[in-house]
């Protein structure tokens, strides 16, 4: 009995030593290095990374947003990059990051990243689709209502002391959604979510344009049509398409000329989809009634930009996904993309480079 007990103790100690040695082995192995491009990403998400990787964070509050020169310096020896749409990741940066295995961006759009250079370098790309669909759709409807019902103009007259009468028959009137025709340009996840929310406003007709007709359109009672026809018929035009070579500067003078003089134009996709000079002229010369923008070029928009001088143009500082829940979920997804890619596993949201 004593002999068996001693053997048990010896085996137990041996197993303890084996586990200790194993832990020592892995703890002494070099950890993956991650570079994070700004210091105000959600802390819980960054803590997830710090628990598994060696993390270097750029203090943008102290040094300002990271520029290309500093990013090239910081990317050397890094295995994973946590970035956002502010960060322009071009071929020079990707070349400097010779140890890179994955880039994960806290955005749905990936037009700020040179995908061809990434593909050639065999670096994987993560992004955050689906997570911000509801928040962006909500903001789009809010911007549509703020523009059509002239909320910013109405607030401004109070602040300026210009509210002289308690009521006027047509003072501060704008077009209502009920009975109107709404056209959505780009009918992906966000476009479809916008469409579903607008149905509750008792609109008359819902049109959409894009690369092809979709079954989801029929389910929502939406009619697929050409872009030109959509612009001619719609009282409200909402842009929710992605930015690519076919949609860049899609909205030119010719497109605005097709629209009704009473039409309202809303863009929550990407600023580069619109020729802003053409939009300014259309608004200034009453070719369209009003516009609401959450995206523009450049961002941030200079405070002296001429679009800001127009009372019929409502501009927001790219806050489409700005709910606490959405931003936390986006940051968590960025981290999961990085960790799974570094482990050679399937990423929760990988942008496939074709």
């Amino acid at each position: 009995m004593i002999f068996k007990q001693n053997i048990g103790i010896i085996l137990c100690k041996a197993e303890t030593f084996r586990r200790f040695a194993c832990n020592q082995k892995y703890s002494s192995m070099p950890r993956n290095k991650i570079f994070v491009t700004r210091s105000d990403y959600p802390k819980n998400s960054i803590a997830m990374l710090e628990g598994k990787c060696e993390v270097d964070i750029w203090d943008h509050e102290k040094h300002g947003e990271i520029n290309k020169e500093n990013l090239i310096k910081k990317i050397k020896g890094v295995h994973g990059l946590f970035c956002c749409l502010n960060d322009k990741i071009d071929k020079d940066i990707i070349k400097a990051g010779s140890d890179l295995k994955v880039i994960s961006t806290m955005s749905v759009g990936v037009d700020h990243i040179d995908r061809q250079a990434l593909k050639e370098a065999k670096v994987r790309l993560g992004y955050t689709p689906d997570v911000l669909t509801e928040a962006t759709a909500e903001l789009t409807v809010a911007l549509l209502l703020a523009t059509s019902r002239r909320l910013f103009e109405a607030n401004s007259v109070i602040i300026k002391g210009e509210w002289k009468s308690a009521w006027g028959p047509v003072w501060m009137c704008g077009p209502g959604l009920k009975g109107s025709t709404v056209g959505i340009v780009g009918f992906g996840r966000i476009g479809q979510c916008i469409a579903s929310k607008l149905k509750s406003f008792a609109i008359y007709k819902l049109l959409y344009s894009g690369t092809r007709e979709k079954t989801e359109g029929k389910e929502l009672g939406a009619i697929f049509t050409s872009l030109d026809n959509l612009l001619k018929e719609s009282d409200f035009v909402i842009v929710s398409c992605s930015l690519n070579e076919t949609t860049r500067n899609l909205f030119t003078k010719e497109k605005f000329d097709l629209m009704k003089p009473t039409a309202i134009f809303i863009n929550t996709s990407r600023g580069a989809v619109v020729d802003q000079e053409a939009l300014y002229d259309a608004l200034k010369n009453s070719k369209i009634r009003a516009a609401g923008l959450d995206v523009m070029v450049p961002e941030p928009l200079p405070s002296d930009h001429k679009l800001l001088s127009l009372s019929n143009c409502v501009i927001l500082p790219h806050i489409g996904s700005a709910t606490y829940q959405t931003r936390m979920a986006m940051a968590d997804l960025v981290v999961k993309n990085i960790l799974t890619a570094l482990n050679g596993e399937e990423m929760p949201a990988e942008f496939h480079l074709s």
Side-chain angles (χ1 to χ4, degrees):
M1 177 67 74
I2 294 174
F3 176 75
K4 288 182 178 181
Q5 288 176 340
N6 289 339
I7 289 294
I9 292 170
I10 292 169
L11 289 174
C12 183
K13 288 183 177 180
E15 176 62 16
T16 301
F17 177 78
R18 187 191 69 78
R19 290 180 179 177
F20 172 77
C22 184
N23 289 336
Q24 286 294 102
K25 173 187 174 183
Y26 284 105
S27 64
S28 64
M29 289 177 65
R31 299 203 297 174
N32 283 307
K33 295 181 180 179
I34 311 297
F35 181 65
V36 179
T37 60
R38 54 190 301 128
S39 50
D40 61 347
Y41 291 121
K43 289 181 172 55
N44 288 345
S45 302
I46 300 304
M48 289 169 57
L49 271 182
E50 289 174 330
K52 298 179 181 295
C53 304
E54 181 182 325
V55 179
D56 182 15
I57 303 173
W58 179 261
D59 189 345
H60 80 284
E61 293 178 351
K62 181 178 180 181
H63 304 296
E65 292 192 0
I66 192 164
N67 59 23
K68 180 175 178 177
E69 180 183 358
N70 284 316
L71 190 48
I72 286 176
K73 291 177 182 178
K74 288 290 188 178
I75 205 73
K76 293 176 180 178
V78 165
H79 304 102
L81 176 66
F82 186 136
C83 68
C84 66
L85 54 81
N86 291 351
D87 308 308
K88 307 305 177 186
I89 313 299
D90 63 17
K91 61 182 180 180
D92 297 328
I93 293 167
I94 294 167
K95 183 178 179 181
S98 56
D99 294 314
L100 269 176
K101 297 178 181 177
V102 59
I103 291 177
S104 192
T105 177
M106 191 170 160
S107 63
V108 174
V110 293
D111 46 281
H112 57 296
I113 299 171
D114 188 329
R115 275 105 63 200
Q116 183 59 36
L118 216 57
K119 181 181 178 181
E120 292 172 2
K122 297 181 180 178
V123 177
R124 298 171 72 181
L125 176 60
Y127 68 137
T128 58
D130 298 327
V131 181
L132 47 68
T133 298
E134 283 287 339
T136 305
E138 286 177 6
L139 189 280
T140 303
V141 175
L143 183 56
L144 174 57
L145 292 171
T147 305
S148 64
R149 297 301 300 271
R150 305 172 65 181
L151 301 188
F152 283 51
E153 289 180 75
N155 179 256
S156 179
V157 299
I158 297 175
I159 293 172
K160 294 177 181 178
E162 297 173 354
W163 188 15
K164 303 301 183 183
S165 174
W167 184 82
V170 293
W171 185 65
M172 281 295 157
C173 283
L177 277 166
K178 183 177 180 181
S180 68
T181 296
V182 178
I184 301 178
V185 181
F187 210 63
R189 287 179 293 263
I190 294 174
Q192 292 166 29
C193 192
I194 294 168
S196 68
K197 294 184 185 307
L198 289 177
K199 296 293 286 184
S200 64
F201 287 89
I203 61 176
Y204 168 66
K205 188 189 296 184
L206 182 62
L207 305 175
Y208 73 97
S209 67
T211 55
R212 59 184 175 84
E213 187 172 7
K214 298 187 176 182
T215 55
E216 293 88 351
K218 293 179 180 178
E219 293 169 2
L220 288 165
I223 302 168
F224 179 68
T225 188
S226 68
L227 174 60
D228 285 1
N229 187 62
L230 181 150
L231 297 178
K232 291 174 183 177
E233 288 196 31
S234 298
D235 300 300
F236 300 93
V237 175
I238 299 171
V239 186
S240 66
C241 60
S242 60
L243 176 63
N244 52 51
E245 291 311 309
T246 60
T247 61
R248 188 177 298 276
N249 283 326
L250 177 63
F251 287 90
T252 58
K253 176 185 182 300
E254 291 71 26
K255 296 303 182 188
F256 288 117
D257 285 346
L258 291 174
M259 294 170 61
K260 297 178 180 180
T262 55
I264 288 178
F265 178 80
I266 304 294
N267 185 18
T268 54
S269 60
R270 284 289 184 268
V273 169
V274 179
D275 178 341
Q276 287 182 175
E277 285 294 327
L279 174 61
Y280 175 82
D281 288 341
L283 292 167
K284 183 75 174 176
N285 299 315
S286 301
K287 292 179 182 178
I288 61 174
R289 183 194 295 271
L293 312 173
D294 186 44
V295 288
M296 63 246 37
V297 178
E299 293 182 3
L301 195 69
S303 59
D304 60 351
H305 196 281
K306 58 185 180 180
L307 278 174
L308 294 171
S309 68
L310 300 174
S311 61
N312 60 342
C313 188
V314 174
I315 299 182
L316 302 178
H318 204 149
I319 57 171
S321 64
T323 68
Y324 289 114
Q325 300 94 322
T326 299
R327 293 290 172 84
M328 303 302 145
M330 289 172 72
D332 283 352
L333 184 52
V334 172
V335 170
K336 290 172 184 175
N337 282 335
I338 291 172
L339 294 178
T340 52
L342 292 176
N343 284 332
E345 300 169 2
E346 182 179 351
M347 297 163 67
E350 181 166 5
F351 188 95
H352 294 285
L353 303 163
S354 55

